[in-house]
Amino acid sequence: MVIDKKSVEKKYSIGVDLGGTNIVSAIVKYQGKIVNRLKVPTLAERGKGATIKRIIETIHKNIVQSTIAPGDIIGIGIGAPGPLDIKKGIINFAPNLPGWRDVPLKKILEDEFNMKVVLENDANAAAWGERCFGAGQGVNNLVCFTLGTGIGGGIIIDGKIYHGNNCGAGELGHMTVNKDGPRCNCGNYGCLEAYSSATGIKNRIKNRIKEGIKSEFLHFDSDDELSESLRLKSIFEAARKGDRLTSDIVEEAISYLGIAIANIANILNPEMVVLVGGITNEGDKLLIPLRKEVRERAFYSNYKSLKIVIGKLAGNAGVLGAAALLWIPNNYSCRG
Ligand SMILES: [Zn+2]
């Protein structure tokens, strides 16, 4: 890991993970140790101004609780949903944050805290976190899939986050895996996210039940009840017990993820694919069939040299990666 020597004297930075559901803020020591962490609901429905106020209040509270002198903090790194203008620090649009259009979050926070602020795509921040402090330490060619409500991705090439021509690289959830597949949130059809995200899995189960296909373990009288009961954990449990409907959907979710990883293996030949997010709680139940799918599809030499692993930072990959952006120089070669 390369650390800017001048910055090491000031040993802390702040990582913020801005999500549609929660804002997580953490004061992080430069070796990756979290000194103080706060998680508050985003309450995005209250509007842009209210959310920005909550971000600012949370960071202030975080600093106070940590008892670290603000002068010892070198800056703030924010992982945010995109599309973003990373260079200018502007959130152009965020589907899960209503009313957010061209918000200059970097400038707003620089004015408020009088310290350096870096904005990064949330999945890139998670990839960077795993690379600096988690499963990918010392790995220079790494691809990270963030498997949550949606699917994001971060690509690290030669030790640097790959941003692409205009900062739009890494949208792994929106690679088409089946041209005739279900509609995705992005408007396209057959994206990986429509199959292998938590939302994709739940929607596909709901649709099957509505079509009249019976599940042995999931019973519902109303739509509300259906949404309430469909937790990822119970879906995987039902699949394990042999419930046909859920096991079909789960197998397909894993299979399509394997197809996506095989594509990545053949195109980029990375050393490691790191998976983070709720579905990774399944551990080997996910990894074993996934590796089998990748082995069957990727060039053998690319598969053989590829480690497919689960991230080590649990829910903190994003904040740790965002905080690490302050210490570890990265390239922003995209035009913005
Ligand atoms: Zn899509």
Side-chain angles (χ1 to χ4, degrees), residues 174 184 186 191:
H174 301 285
C184 176
C186 74
C191 294

Side-chain angles (χ1 to χ4, degrees), residues 229-270:
S229 310
L230 274 182
R231 299 204 351 254
L232 209 53
K233 197 169 168 246
S234 44
I235 291 170
F236 275 83
E237 270 168 16
R240 271 201 290 281
K241 285 180 195 160
D243 180 50
R244 187 65 193 274
L245 184 146
T246 41
S247 64
D248 282 355
I249 303 282
V250 164
E251 273 170 29
E252 270 191 341
I254 296 173
S255 167
Y256 280 111
L257 182 58
I259 291 171
I261 295 173
N263 288 337
I264 291 290
N266 280 353
I267 297 166
L268 295 175
N269 184 209

Side-chain angles (χ1 to χ4, degrees), residues 100-243:
W100 285 60
R101 286 264 175 198
D102 300 326
V103 179
L105 192 62
K106 174 182 157 78
K107 178 152 188 350
I108 291 169
L109 296 182
E110 277 174 349
D111 290 349
E112 174 70 26
F113 291 94
N114 198 24
M115 54 178 79
K116 186 179 175 183
V117 176
V118 180
L119 184 70
E120 181 55 271
N121 169 280
D122 49 7
N124 285 352
W128 197 234
E130 287 294 341
R131 197 261 169 182
C132 294
F133 308 119
Q137 288 182 67
V139 177
N140 281 332
N141 294 297
L142 172 159
V143 175
C144 177
F145 284 77
T146 59
L147 304 160
T149 315
I151 295 182
I155 299 169
I156 292 168
I157 297 177
D158 291 338
K160 289 181 174 176
I161 297 172
Y162 177 72
H163 288 99
N165 182 43
N166 61 343
C167 301
E171 291 294 348
L172 303 180
H174 301 285
M175 73 168 87
T176 304
V177 288
N178 178 3
K179 79 179 175 68
D180 301 316
R183 194 176 167 92
C184 176
N185 284 331
C186 74
N188 201 352
Y189 290 87
C191 294
L192 175 65
E193 182 168 304
Y195 284 104
S196 309
S197 66
T199 316
I201 292 170
K202 288 176 195 175
N203 283 345
R204 302 195 69 228
I205 289 177
K206 280 186 207 173
N207 289 341
R208 294 279 169 98
I209 291 173
K210 279 180 192 163
E211 284 165 13
I213 298 170
K214 296 272 182 283
S215 164
E216 209 180 316
F217 292 93
L218 305 167
H219 301 285
F220 315 96
D221 291 326
S222 71
D223 241 23
D224 284 350
E225 211 179 317
L226 192 63
S227 304
E228 192 59 33
S229 310
L230 274 182
R231 299 204 351 254
L232 209 53
K233 197 169 168 246
S234 44
I235 291 170
F236 275 83
E237 270 168 16
R240 271 201 290 281
K241 285 180 195 160
D243 180 50

